[in-house]
Amino acid sequence: MNFKPLNVCITGGAGFIGANFVRHWLAKTREGRVIVFDALTYAGNVQNLAGLERDPRYVFVRGDICDEAAVRSLLEQHQIDTVVHFAAESHVDRSILGPDDFIRTNVVGTHSLLKAAKTSWLDRKTVPAHRFHHVSTDEVYGSLGPDDAPFHEASPYAPNSPYSASKAGSDHLVRAYHETYGLDTSVTNCSNNYGPYQFPEKLIPLTLINILLGKPLPVYGDGLQVRDWLHVADHCEAISLALARGKSGDLYNIGGNSETTNIHIVRTLCALVDEYLAGRADLKAAFPASSAARGTHAAQLIEHVRDRPGHDRRYAIDYRKARRELGYEPTRDLAAGLRATLEWYLSNRAWWDALLGRDYAAWVEKNYTRSQPLR
Ligand code: NAD
Ligand code: TYD
């Protein structure tokens, strides 16, 4: 990028990755402001940003990215020159049960943001230079066979779920606004993130919490689906690098160098929690239903349940372009990253207890078939 971002709008900044990025950006920069724009859906949580209200550089605005007029006035009021766009519906299982919200937020919402950015930045020239960075996923490329080469930036798009199709649609709109109107854009497509503040509907936090509470661990189908796991801190660094060095109109794949089957992840977490709690009377007392407290093994909680329809078999990322052009390299080893994540969830029980007490538990109960074991 040929300028230093000053006032940065982070859409979806109250979600998992967005909140990590807000913290990362405020710690990394000294000037300018961070304006979080978030609708606070079930996945948005102001607790993810707790403590930041004391920072004079941080502003929180509740709003919907589909509201183009609100976005335009935000861009102009705060002299925003950079948008980092995380806001989305992000959970594949929810997209299967109800795709409409995914089309609305991910496609229509991204388009509304692009229109507002075009009006403010290109037509009304509110700032001398700008960048629209779009955060996307490797899921737009579809599914790989066991011996296929990893996805690279020229791999054809072949999304299989309503979620990935809606993200693919948003990626295409970002490209079109660059090619057609000359909007300065960049896109990162990354693999599965994990780490602090991840909503406990996703595999890793769901498994950790269920182990601690002694609940079943649902593994879809045979569990041999492969994902590439990326610690959220590495992802945040990659986005910073894309802002600093990414070429306008370009896209970069961001991987974690950690291809693993789901069943391996679940078994690793079982062993990790059993071992971690083994010598800790305080934790065993805090989690009396955990296998460690009951003298059993967490792996006994694993239940193979009915597979997700259209379930992608394997994702893998070739991130050589990001390495070459951005200087990106993931730094977190998966085992160390999972251990640090367990420690975060153990230290932040109040954060996830509050979520389980909310509508989440009822929603899981109502919508999931996962508790039915495979025959
Ligand atoms: P998340 O579901 O935890 O958070 C999404 C955030 O967007 C929430 O704060 C929510 O309130 C907000 N939001 C939703 N609809 C909105 C709207 N209409 N207007 C304003 N805000 C709205 O998601 P996440 O896991 O942090 O993912 C962030 C981005 O990264 C998404 O675009 C996702 O597609 C992408 N991504 C995620 C992963 C992953 O593993 N989590 C991997 C690759 C890419
Ligand atoms: P998830 O965390 O939902 O991310 P994504 O679908 O975006 O990859 O799921 C990661 C993998 O784990 C995916 O292959 C589905 C699987 N999975 C389970 O086996 N059990 C679960 O309870 C969940 C939530 C996911």
Side-chain angles (χ1 to χ4, degrees), residues 61-77:
V61 178
R62 185 172 191 179
D64 185 340
I65 56 169
C66 295
D67 184 348
E68 187 189 336
V71 175
R72 209 168 50 229
S73 79
L74 187 87
L75 293 178
E76 299 186 4
Q77 184 194 345

PDB file of all heavy atoms in Angstrom, residues 61-77:
ATOM      1  N   VAL A  61     -19.026   1.616  17.215  1.00  0.00           N
ATOM      2  CA  VAL A  61     -20.311   2.049  16.663  1.00  0.00           C
ATOM      3  C   VAL A  61     -21.117   0.806  16.324  1.00  0.00           C
ATOM      4  O   VAL A  61     -20.643  -0.058  15.579  1.00  0.00           O
ATOM      5  CB  VAL A  61     -20.109   2.899  15.384  1.00  0.00           C
ATOM      6  CG1 VAL A  61     -21.457   3.307  14.794  1.00  0.00           C
ATOM      7  CG2 VAL A  61     -19.256   4.127  15.681  1.00  0.00           C
ATOM      8  N   ARG A  62     -22.317   0.723  16.891  1.00  0.00           N
ATOM      9  CA  ARG A  62     -23.170  -0.418  16.551  1.00  0.00           C
ATOM     10  C   ARG A  62     -23.910  -0.105  15.260  1.00  0.00           C
ATOM     11  O   ARG A  62     -24.564   0.928  15.149  1.00  0.00           O
ATOM     12  CB  ARG A  62     -24.165  -0.684  17.673  1.00  0.00           C
ATOM     13  CG  ARG A  62     -24.962  -1.930  17.391  1.00  0.00           C
ATOM     14  CD  ARG A  62     -25.825  -2.346  18.547  1.00  0.00           C
ATOM     15  NE  ARG A  62     -26.365  -3.672  18.305  1.00  0.00           N
ATOM     16  CZ  ARG A  62     -27.151  -4.325  19.139  1.00  0.00           C
ATOM     17  NH1 ARG A  62     -27.466  -3.777  20.297  1.00  0.00           N
ATOM     18  NH2 ARG A  62     -27.600  -5.517  18.838  1.00  0.00           N
ATOM     19  N   GLY A  63     -23.779  -0.963  14.277  1.00  0.00           N
ATOM     20  CA  GLY A  63     -24.478  -0.717  13.019  1.00  0.00           C
ATOM     21  C   GLY A  63     -24.377  -1.909  12.104  1.00  0.00           C
ATOM     22  O   GLY A  63     -23.579  -2.832  12.318  1.00  0.00           O
ATOM     23  N   ASP A  64     -25.215  -1.874  11.065  1.00  0.00           N
ATOM     24  CA  ASP A  64     -25.357  -2.996  10.135  1.00  0.00           C
ATOM     25  C   ASP A  64     -24.673  -2.625   8.815  1.00  0.00           C
ATOM     26  O   ASP A  64     -24.968  -1.561   8.255  1.00  0.00           O
ATOM     27  CB  ASP A  64     -26.870  -3.217   9.931  1.00  0.00           C
ATOM     28  CG  ASP A  64     -27.182  -4.425   9.076  1.00  0.00           C
ATOM     29  OD1 ASP A  64     -26.307  -4.885   8.323  1.00  0.00           O
ATOM     30  OD2 ASP A  64     -28.334  -4.899   9.164  1.00  0.00           O
ATOM     31  N   ILE A  65     -23.824  -3.487   8.318  1.00  0.00           N
ATOM     32  CA  ILE A  65     -23.126  -3.169   7.062  1.00  0.00           C
ATOM     33  C   ILE A  65     -24.093  -3.058   5.875  1.00  0.00           C
ATOM     34  O   ILE A  65     -23.739  -2.501   4.846  1.00  0.00           O
ATOM     35  CB  ILE A  65     -21.996  -4.179   6.723  1.00  0.00           C
ATOM     36  CG1 ILE A  65     -22.520  -5.621   6.673  1.00  0.00           C
ATOM     37  CG2 ILE A  65     -20.838  -4.033   7.706  1.00  0.00           C
ATOM     38  CD1 ILE A  65     -21.522  -6.608   6.080  1.00  0.00           C
ATOM     39  N   CYS A  66     -25.313  -3.598   6.022  1.00  0.00           N
ATOM     40  CA  CYS A  66     -26.290  -3.471   4.929  1.00  0.00           C
ATOM     41  C   CYS A  66     -26.866  -2.053   4.855  1.00  0.00           C
ATOM     42  O   CYS A  66     -27.520  -1.704   3.878  1.00  0.00           O
ATOM     43  CB  CYS A  66     -27.434  -4.465   5.103  1.00  0.00           C
ATOM     44  SG  CYS A  66     -26.869  -6.163   4.961  1.00  0.00           S
ATOM     45  N   ASP A  67     -26.618  -1.241   5.883  1.00  0.00           N
ATOM     46  CA  ASP A  67     -27.136   0.124   5.925  1.00  0.00           C
ATOM     47  C   ASP A  67     -26.096   1.056   5.280  1.00  0.00           C
ATOM     48  O   ASP A  67     -25.221   1.613   5.942  1.00  0.00           O
ATOM     49  CB  ASP A  67     -27.394   0.490   7.399  1.00  0.00           C
ATOM     50  CG  ASP A  67     -28.017   1.857   7.563  1.00  0.00           C
ATOM     51  OD1 ASP A  67     -28.055   2.632   6.586  1.00  0.00           O
ATOM     52  OD2 ASP A  67     -28.461   2.152   8.695  1.00  0.00           O
ATOM     53  N   GLU A  68     -26.242   1.215   3.970  1.00  0.00           N
ATOM     54  CA  GLU A  68     -25.218   1.948   3.205  1.00  0.00           C
ATOM     55  C   GLU A  68     -25.071   3.401   3.680  1.00  0.00           C
ATOM     56  O   GLU A  68     -23.953   3.920   3.771  1.00  0.00           O
ATOM     57  CB  GLU A  68     -25.609   1.907   1.721  1.00  0.00           C
ATOM     58  CG  GLU A  68     -24.557   2.490   0.818  1.00  0.00           C
ATOM     59  CD  GLU A  68     -25.061   2.629  -0.621  1.00  0.00           C
ATOM     60  OE1 GLU A  68     -25.993   1.897  -1.033  1.00  0.00           O
ATOM     61  OE2 GLU A  68     -24.514   3.485  -1.333  1.00  0.00           O
ATOM     62  N   ALA A  69     -26.195   4.025   3.984  1.00  0.00           N
ATOM     63  CA  ALA A  69     -26.130   5.440   4.404  1.00  0.00           C
ATOM     64  C   ALA A  69     -25.364   5.565   5.721  1.00  0.00           C
ATOM     65  O   ALA A  69     -24.543   6.480   5.895  1.00  0.00           O
ATOM     66  CB  ALA A  69     -27.541   6.000   4.551  1.00  0.00           C
ATOM     67  N   ALA A  70     -25.593   4.617   6.638  1.00  0.00           N
ATOM     68  CA  ALA A  70     -24.893   4.662   7.936  1.00  0.00           C
ATOM     69  C   ALA A  70     -23.392   4.463   7.716  1.00  0.00           C
ATOM     70  O   ALA A  70     -22.566   5.133   8.345  1.00  0.00           O
ATOM     71  CB  ALA A  70     -25.439   3.588   8.870  1.00  0.00           C
ATOM     72  N   VAL A  71     -23.038   3.562   6.807  1.00  0.00           N
ATOM     73  CA  VAL A  71     -21.619   3.312   6.552  1.00  0.00           C
ATOM     74  C   VAL A  71     -20.982   4.562   5.925  1.00  0.00           C
ATOM     75  O   VAL A  71     -19.890   4.982   6.318  1.00  0.00           O
ATOM     76  CB  VAL A  71     -21.418   2.097   5.612  1.00  0.00           C
ATOM     77  CG1 VAL A  71     -19.951   1.922   5.261  1.00  0.00           C
ATOM     78  CG2 VAL A  71     -21.962   0.822   6.252  1.00  0.00           C
ATOM     79  N   ARG A  72     -21.704   5.163   4.982  1.00  0.00           N
ATOM     80  CA  ARG A  72     -21.137   6.346   4.309  1.00  0.00           C
ATOM     81  C   ARG A  72     -20.914   7.465   5.327  1.00  0.00           C
ATOM     82  O   ARG A  72     -19.862   8.107   5.337  1.00  0.00           O
ATOM     83  CB  ARG A  72     -22.087   6.801   3.206  1.00  0.00           C
ATOM     84  CG  ARG A  72     -21.362   7.482   2.072  1.00  0.00           C
ATOM     85  CD  ARG A  72     -22.242   7.671   0.863  1.00  0.00           C
ATOM     86  NE  ARG A  72     -23.515   8.273   1.227  1.00  0.00           N
ATOM     87  CZ  ARG A  72     -24.693   7.812   0.845  1.00  0.00           C
ATOM     88  NH1 ARG A  72     -24.769   6.745   0.082  1.00  0.00           N
ATOM     89  NH2 ARG A  72     -25.807   8.418   1.205  1.00  0.00           N
ATOM     90  N   SER A  73     -21.885   7.689   6.200  1.00  0.00           N
ATOM     91  CA  SER A  73     -21.685   8.795   7.147  1.00  0.00           C
ATOM     92  C   SER A  73     -20.573   8.453   8.138  1.00  0.00           C
ATOM     93  O   SER A  73     -19.810   9.329   8.547  1.00  0.00           O
ATOM     94  CB  SER A  73     -22.992   9.215   7.810  1.00  0.00           C
ATOM     95  OG  SER A  73     -23.312   8.329   8.816  1.00  0.00           O
ATOM     96  N   LEU A  74     -20.416   7.161   8.473  1.00  0.00           N
ATOM     97  CA  LEU A  74     -19.304   6.748   9.350  1.00  0.00           C
ATOM     98  C   LEU A  74     -17.960   7.051   8.679  1.00  0.00           C
ATOM     99  O   LEU A  74     -17.054   7.619   9.288  1.00  0.00           O
ATOM    100  CB  LEU A  74     -19.422   5.249   9.627  1.00  0.00           C
ATOM    101  CG  LEU A  74     -18.455   4.674  10.642  1.00  0.00           C
ATOM    102  CD1 LEU A  74     -19.039   4.821  12.059  1.00  0.00           C
ATOM    103  CD2 LEU A  74     -18.188   3.191  10.386  1.00  0.00           C
ATOM    104  N   LEU A  75     -17.851   6.681   7.406  1.00  0.00           N
ATOM    105  CA  LEU A  75     -16.593   6.887   6.675  1.00  0.00           C
ATOM    106  C   LEU A  75     -16.240   8.376   6.660  1.00  0.00           C
ATOM    107  O   LEU A  75     -15.082   8.757   6.839  1.00  0.00           O
ATOM    108  CB  LEU A  75     -16.715   6.378   5.234  1.00  0.00           C
ATOM    109  CG  LEU A  75     -16.877   4.867   5.026  1.00  0.00           C
ATOM    110  CD1 LEU A  75     -17.045   4.521   3.547  1.00  0.00           C
ATOM    111  CD2 LEU A  75     -15.683   4.107   5.596  1.00  0.00           C
ATOM    112  N   GLU A  76     -17.270   9.211   6.472  1.00  0.00           N
ATOM    113  CA  GLU A  76     -17.000  10.644   6.342  1.00  0.00           C
ATOM    114  C   GLU A  76     -16.771  11.293   7.703  1.00  0.00           C
ATOM    115  O   GLU A  76     -15.830  12.062   7.876  1.00  0.00           O
ATOM    116  CB  GLU A  76     -18.121  11.299   5.528  1.00  0.00           C
ATOM    117  CG  GLU A  76     -18.122  10.632   4.144  1.00  0.00           C
ATOM    118  CD  GLU A  76     -19.072  11.213   3.104  1.00  0.00           C
ATOM    119  OE1 GLU A  76     -19.723  12.220   3.381  1.00  0.00           O
ATOM    120  OE2 GLU A  76     -19.116  10.615   1.994  1.00  0.00           O
ATOM    121  N   GLN A  77     -17.588  10.915   8.685  1.00  0.00           N
ATOM    122  CA  GLN A  77     -17.464  11.516  10.019  1.00  0.00           C
ATOM    123  C   GLN A  77     -16.084  11.256  10.627  1.00  0.00           C
ATOM    124  O   GLN A  77     -15.489  12.143  11.249  1.00  0.00           O
ATOM    125  CB  GLN A  77     -18.546  10.936  10.939  1.00  0.00           C
ATOM    126  CG  GLN A  77     -18.560  11.565  12.320  1.00  0.00           C
ATOM    127  CD  GLN A  77     -19.403  10.732  13.294  1.00  0.00           C
ATOM    128  OE1 GLN A  77     -20.181   9.852  12.905  1.00  0.00           O
ATOM    129  NE2 GLN A  77     -19.222  11.007  14.574  1.00  0.00           N
TER     130      GLN A  77
END
